Amino acid sequence: MYQLDVSNAFLHGDLDADIYMKQPPGFVNSATSNLVCKLRKSLYGLKQALRQWFNKLTGFLQSQGFGFIIGNNDSAIQSLLRQLQSHFDLKQLGQISLFLGIQVTQSNSGYFLSQHHYASKLLRDAGYADCKSAPTPAVPNRKNITSSSQPFADPTLYRKLAGSLQYLSITRPDIAFATNQVCQHMQNPSDLDFKALKRILRYIKGTIDHGLPITKGPLELLTYTDADWAADTSDRKSISGYCTFLGWTLLTWTVKKHVTVAKSSTEAEYRSLSAATSEVIWLRRLAEELGIPQPSPTTIYCDNTSAIAIAKNPVFHNRTKHIEIDYHFIRQHINTKAIQLQHIASKDQLADILTKAFTVSRFTELHSKLTIRSAND
């Protein structure tokens, strides 16, 4: 896996509209100070800059027959790199090792992704570099009593740390649920909210070298989905969580609070199942484009028998009409054999770790099953 850097990438973009700017300070023509400059090329700071650079690069790659910058023919890839260098001011950085704060370690078994340096900086900036570690990122059965807690004295600090935790969860799905919880209170954080945030920092302290492995194995997609009904005691909205594996590699994961209140646990589980189905359909299409077709239906594991029964039942009942769109969406993909639903015992439901906090023993069990581990393991 090669890493490249294009110098002044945004300056390569071609503008497809007339854009004007004021004469920049230090370069104002005193004789024509009332005039403005018409841009002939893209500049950093333009709203269009990112899109125009993307169009420029995409257009070039497509002209070379590429849909993705990926392949298993090393000579063809090297040829592409030479052509890229002839069109852009390009630096070849060799095998990937660090990308946007994500460390990539290569071994005979695959890759290992971690954010050790980023996590260390986060702890230093927060003043927790020498804090005592915590065994889990969240306390089980924590009640939402923010309204009775004092407002946190430094909301800006809270938002900065919460945002950093969001970025850290790119390689740390084990903190995804806890981070989602603290990020819901960024507008008006309380002392209790900051206490929950500190718990995550203390957990990171003890697991700072943990990350995700990308290993060789089967190329079949597999998804787990779960929901915690009426989990938020402040508004009784549910939490959905689902994760997808490609063989033994954890590929995607999501934690999301529902927009509306579910009337039953079955409805909450069904909404989570619908969202997971959308993710699976997208991943199947992406895998097909990457030359990894999925000939068999993708199995989605759900621990709610009622939700599975509704999806498989051709008779639509009035008591479930409020989830009619989700119902038809899931049934359509069952009928086309894009997915298949399978019941799983709650104790084996890996997506549980994305919807609620657990005791140390249960959290440790789910943590290992998500393949999160230390770089030294």
Side-chain angles (χ1 to χ4, degrees):
M1 185 177 292
Y2 299 102
Q3 188 170 7
L4 313 171
D5 181 40
V6 179
S7 299
N8 300 316
F10 286 1
L11 301 185
H12 290 282
D14 299 320
L15 295 177
D16 54 6
D18 292 337
I19 300 177
Y20 301 89
M21 62 174 282
K22 294 180 181 179
Q23 297 182 48
F27 294 90
V28 178
N29 188 328
S30 58
T32 58
S33 59
N34 62 319
L35 299 183
V36 295
C37 300
K38 180 180 179 179
L39 296 183
R40 301 180 61 182
K41 62 184 298 186
S42 179
L43 288 179
Y44 280 82
L46 285 182
K47 293 180 179 179
Q48 300 94 330
L50 178 60
R51 182 175 66 247
Q52 296 308 116
W53 157 242
F54 176 78
N55 290 339
K56 181 83 171 185
L57 179 62
T58 300
F60 171 78
L61 292 172
Q62 289 178 336
S63 71
Q64 304 300 312
F66 279 80
F68 294 87
I69 318 176
I70 190 171
N72 56 7
N73 187 325
D74 192 63
S75 61
I77 292 175
Q78 292 297 332
S79 175
L80 173 67
L81 295 180
R82 289 192 293 270
Q83 293 183 60
L84 280 168
Q85 281 187 309
S86 67
H87 284 75
F88 308 107
D89 185 5
L90 185 71
K91 297 176 184 177
Q92 292 197 41
L93 305 179
Q95 289 285 334
I96 189 169
S97 59
L98 183 66
F99 181 74
L100 299 178
I102 302 174
Q103 295 162 255
V104 183
T105 305
Q106 187 174 1
S107 66
N108 293 332
S109 61
Y111 292 93
F112 184 79
L113 309 181
S114 70
Q115 292 169 277
H116 182 282
H117 295 329
Y118 184 84
S120 298
K121 183 179 183 302
L122 170 59
L123 292 176
R124 289 196 304 269
D125 291 347
Y128 280 76
D130 299 315
C131 69
K132 182 180 178 181
S133 62
T136 62
V139 178
N141 302 319
R142 176 178 178 265
K143 301 299 182 182
N144 193 324
I145 52 176
T146 302
S147 58
S148 62
S149 177
Q150 293 293 322
F152 182 56
D154 191 350
T156 301
L157 173 63
Y158 183 95
R159 294 173 191 131
K160 177 183 176 181
L161 296 177
S164 297
L165 288 172
Q166 275 190 317
Y167 191 72
L168 183 59
S169 65
I170 290 176
T171 60
R172 297 293 301 270
D174 50 336
I175 67 169
F177 170 74
T179 300
N180 176 272
Q181 294 295 294
V182 299
C183 285
Q184 291 180 28
H185 304 286
M186 285 201 287
Q187 185 173 1
N188 296 302
S190 69
D191 287 340
L192 278 178
D193 296 326
F194 187 66
K195 184 177 180 180
L197 190 151
K198 289 192 296 183
R199 172 81 179 204
I200 305 175
L201 295 176
R202 291 174 52 219
Y203 171 73
I204 292 170
K205 171 64 178 179
T207 58
I208 198 165
D209 62 343
H210 284 205
L212 279 178
I214 300 177
T215 56
K216 300 175 183 178
L219 296 177
E220 294 178 352
L221 294 171
L222 185 68
T223 296
Y224 296 83
T225 177
D226 192 34
D228 191 10
W229 177 46
D232 194 323
T233 56
S234 65
D235 55 17
R236 286 304 176 186
K237 292 180 180 177
S238 306
I239 302 290
S240 281
Y242 50 90
C243 58
T244 299
F245 288 79
L246 181 65
W248 302 315
T249 298
L250 181 59
L251 199 62
T252 66
W253 57 91
T254 299
V255 179
K256 187 175 182 180
K257 183 178 178 179
H258 290 189
V259 178
T260 58
V261 177
K263 295 182 179 179
S264 65
S265 60
T266 299
E267 181 182 348
E269 294 277 2
Y270 208 85
R271 287 182 182 175
S272 181
L273 182 58
S274 176
T277 301
S278 297
E279 179 89 350
V280 166
I281 298 304
W282 179 79
L283 288 173
R284 285 175 63 91
R285 291 171 180 166
L286 178 61
E288 180 77 28
E289 290 190 55
L290 292 175
I292 314 173
Q294 302 291 304
S296 301
T298 298
T299 300
I300 301 179
Y301 287 107
C302 175
D303 60 9
N304 188 284
T305 54
S306 297
I308 295 176
I310 292 174
K312 294 182 178 180
N313 190 351
V315 179
F316 197 67
H317 301 285
N318 286 334
R319 64 185 177 86
T320 56
K321 64 182 179 182
H322 48 287
I323 54 173
E324 181 175 0
I325 294 177
D326 287 337
Y327 168 83
H328 288 299
F329 174 72
I330 295 174
R331 275 200 57 80
Q332 173 189 339
H333 292 295
I334 291 176
N335 292 336
T336 59
K337 294 185 172 16
I339 66 169
Q340 62 181 7
L341 306 183
Q342 188 166 329
H343 180 258
I344 190 173
S346 295
K347 66 181 181 66
D348 298 321
Q349 177 55 270
L350 303 191
D352 251 1
I353 198 173
L354 302 173
T355 62
K356 57 183 75 72
F358 287 104
T359 60
V360 176
S361 58
R362 176 62 173 161
F363 179 84
T364 303
E365 177 187 7
L366 293 172
H367 177 278
S368 62
K369 288 183 178 179
L370 278 185
T371 73
I372 306 163
R373 61 172 175 80
S374 168
N376 300 319
D377 291 347

